[in-house]
Amino acid sequence: MSQQRLQRERLLHHAADVLEVAGRLGRVMLTASGGGATHERMGPVDRIERSGLALRLAGVAHDADIDTTGLGAVILDRSSRMKDKVLPRLDFHGKDGGVRFSLVGLDGLEPFDAGIAGLRGMAAEAAEPVEPAARAEVAEGDPGAIPFEVARCAGVPVTIELRRDGLRQAWSGSVEAVKPAMGFINVMQPDFHLHLRAGAVGRWRLRADRAGLDGVELLAENARGELIGLAVRGPAAVLARRD
C-alpha cells in the first residue's frame, strides 16, 4: 500500500454505513460550515439511531440529524496533524463534490483506525491544496455577535443550530464567552465551538419558536437578506430584546 493511499482514500461503503461506526471512533468532532458559520460538536457519540438512509448522532456531546440521500463520496484523510498528533477525518461529500461535513478523530490515529476496520478503501485520492481565506477584522458592533452577547449577559441557556442540505446540528447550553479573534466571532465551550466569520451576518430574522410557546428563533441573514443556515433559539424575554 502506497504512502499516498495511507494518507487519503475513498471508502467503498455508502455514507450511511460509514456513519454507523461513529460510536467506535472515540472522541470525534462533527464539523459543518455554511454561509460563513462553522459549527462543531466534540466528544464521543453515545447513540446512533438509523432509519433507512437517515441517521441521528446523539449523546451528551452530539445532536445531529443527517439525511445521507444527497451524499456522495466519503474520503478518509489521515494527512492532518496538530503538533505531533495525527487528526484523521472522514469527509462526507455531496453529490456535487463539495464537502458537506466532516468527522475528525480527536483521540488520534489508533482508535480511529480500529473503529473503521472493515471499511476498506478503493482508489487513492490526491489531496487538493486549500487556499486560506482572507480574514477581515471583526468590527465593533458586528451584528453576528448580538444574540450570543445577549445570551451571555442574561445567563440563560440557548440553542445554537446549523442547518444545511441534509444536516442539522445543534448545541444547547449557557454561553460563557464570546471572543472575536482571527477574523471570527467565536463561542467556545468544552463540547462545542462556533466560528462565525466577520461580516457574515447582516441581520437576524425573528420568528416564534414552534417548539415552545415562550421561545423565539433568530435566523441569520447575510447582507443580501439570504438565510445562511445559522439559528439561535431561546426565551423571547431575552432574545426578542436583542436591539
Side-chain angles (χ1 to χ4, degrees):
M1 182 177 292
S2 70
Q3 181 65 22
Q4 184 184 33
R5 186 172 175 83
L6 282 169
Q7 291 297 303
R8 188 171 172 87
E9 55 187 309
R10 179 171 177 163
L11 298 184
L12 283 166
H13 291 65
H14 189 277
D17 299 324
V18 177
L19 282 166
E20 279 206 295
V21 310
R24 305 203 299 262
L25 303 179
R27 293 183 307 123
V28 294
M29 176 173 68
L30 195 161
T31 176
S33 299
T38 298
H39 192 288
E40 301 171 338
R41 293 300 313 265
M42 293 160 289
V45 176
D46 298 331
R47 301 187 311 280
I48 300 171
E49 303 161 7
R50 178 171 178 177
S51 177
L53 296 180
L55 296 96
R56 175 170 174 73
L57 275 57
V60 174
H62 287 279
D63 181 351
D65 294 304
I66 303 168
D67 180 357
T68 66
T69 55
L71 297 181
V74 182
I75 306 297
L76 168 61
D77 193 324
R78 299 184 179 93
S79 64
S80 297
R81 305 183 71 91
M82 180 177 289
K83 297 182 179 178
D84 295 329
K85 188 177 185 179
V86 177
L87 294 179
R89 73 176 190 269
L90 294 164
D91 290 332
F92 292 81
H93 292 246
K95 291 182 178 177
D96 60 358
V99 177
R100 296 284 181 84
F101 62 91
S102 300
L103 273 179
V104 181
L106 300 178
D107 289 332
L109 192 56
E110 185 175 342
F112 198 87
D113 274 350
I116 64 167
L119 296 178
R120 295 318 320 144
M122 46 186 296
E125 298 277 338
E128 296 291 334
V130 178
E131 294 294 330
R135 292 172 175 167
E137 292 298 319
V138 179
E140 185 175 353
D142 189 311
I146 291 173
F148 311 114
E149 285 286 9
V150 168
R152 181 188 65 80
C153 292
V156 298
V158 294
T159 295
I160 302 172
E161 185 173 282
L162 183 70
R163 306 161 189 163
R164 58 173 312 184
D165 292 343
L167 173 70
R168 179 211 63 84
Q169 177 166 261
W171 170 84
S172 298
S174 297
V175 176
E176 298 172 2
V178 183
K179 300 179 180 179
M182 306 287 288
F184 289 86
I185 298 160
N186 302 289
V187 177
M188 310 287 280
Q189 307 286 141
D191 62 348
F192 167 64
H193 290 172
L194 174 72
H195 307 290
L196 182 58
R197 192 175 64 236
V201 177
R203 64 182 293 271
W204 294 89
R205 184 186 304 178
L206 176 66
R207 74 177 185 186
D209 181 7
R210 288 166 289 184
L213 296 177
D214 61 346
V216 293
E217 184 174 53
L218 299 178
L219 305 176
E221 297 180 357
N222 62 22
R224 297 183 297 277
E226 301 163 335
L227 295 174
I228 69 171
L230 180 65
V232 183
R233 298 196 302 274
V238 173
L239 293 185
R241 296 172 56 191
R242 65 195 188 285
D243 296 329

